[in-house]
Amino acid sequence: MFRSALAAVPSQVRSASQMRLASTLVWVEHDETAVKQSTLNTIAAAKKIGGDITALVVGTTDKVAADVAKIAGVNKVLVAKGDAYKGLLPEAVAPTIVALQKKYNFTHILAPTSTRGKNILPRVAATLDVGMVSDVTDVLAEDTFERPIYAGNAIMTVKSKDKVKVATVRNTAFAPVAATGGSAATEAVEGGAASSISTFVKQDLVKSERPPLPTARVVIAGGRGMQNGDNFKILYELADKMGAAVGASRAAVDSGFCSNDMQIGQTGLIVAPELYIGAGVSGASQHIAGMKDSKTIVVINKDAEAPFFEIADYGLVADLFKAVPEMTKKL
């Protein structure tokens, strides 16, 4: 893997006084009832920056605020509550973050590299007239970060000279902090006004007993080799036996085999499970960018020349329609 330096990287040794000067605001990702694990990963990145960590809970209720206060490493929890945040629209959330930045003068503002995080923080950076550092995978210093480029084939070192560093954090790059053990103080802050340019109408969620893809310990993905959507049934059966989540390559999604929320890759979800099983996935670079950090990679494909075999820990050259049911039967 190549590494590209955008600017000279300063010494990673930071003095105690520098550590105290840093103060990070972390936007808490939640569903109004529970905190998403991506928040724990983002707080881990904030701890690596050093200094005080303030967590911001924005929503129509403050149900999750008590849980956020227990997260290890959090010094304070700010709660912005109001009907304006229904649906957590970025047009309502971003101005709240900007207002808090002007009030508390944070040195860093972080959020997970999720759909909402990527929608909110660029608005914050533009309003503050500072640069946006996306998809951070490592913190080298308070002003220096690493992020992947060229579909993960190179790592860029970015040094920000802005007074406020605004960044999204790749969840799989940082081990989550403990969800308990903290005792942060909670403070209510003034909520924002409803957006005049967008309105939340409804949200249709797909309910599943399987674990969510981004946090699953085992992920089974199907590619174009599945031939059609009905054939994903054999992956679901194996997943149910293994307690796994089921994903797909972009080719499978574009072919209409499954929904967009199952897509793994550069333009989809980033996963890093303990075990990844790819069935009928050729191994395009954009898909590999979304799962290359998996601990163990197993590839099943009848094409022995499939590029996916090059990064596999275990490869099985076989007909997946015979191999997968056989695996399910033996579990």
Side-chain angles (χ1 to χ4, degrees), residues 49-125:
I49 291 171
D52 291 338
I53 299 174
T54 300
L56 172 62
V57 177
V58 178
T60 57
T61 72
D62 56 3
K63 291 181 179 179
V64 302
D67 292 332
V68 175
K70 298 176 184 176
I71 297 175
V74 174
N75 301 102
K76 180 190 286 188
V77 179
L78 300 179
V79 182
K81 184 176 69 170
D83 293 337
Y85 300 122
K86 185 178 181 181
L88 297 175
L89 297 177
E91 292 86 353
V93 177
T96 299
I97 296 177
V98 172
L100 292 173
Q101 163 59 29
K102 293 179 178 178
K103 179 179 179 180
Y104 292 96
N105 198 29
F106 298 105
T107 60
H108 298 74
I109 300 175
L110 304 182
T113 301
S114 61
T115 300
R116 282 202 172 109
K118 291 186 291 184
N119 207 352
I120 294 171
L121 252 58
R123 299 167 189 265
V124 172

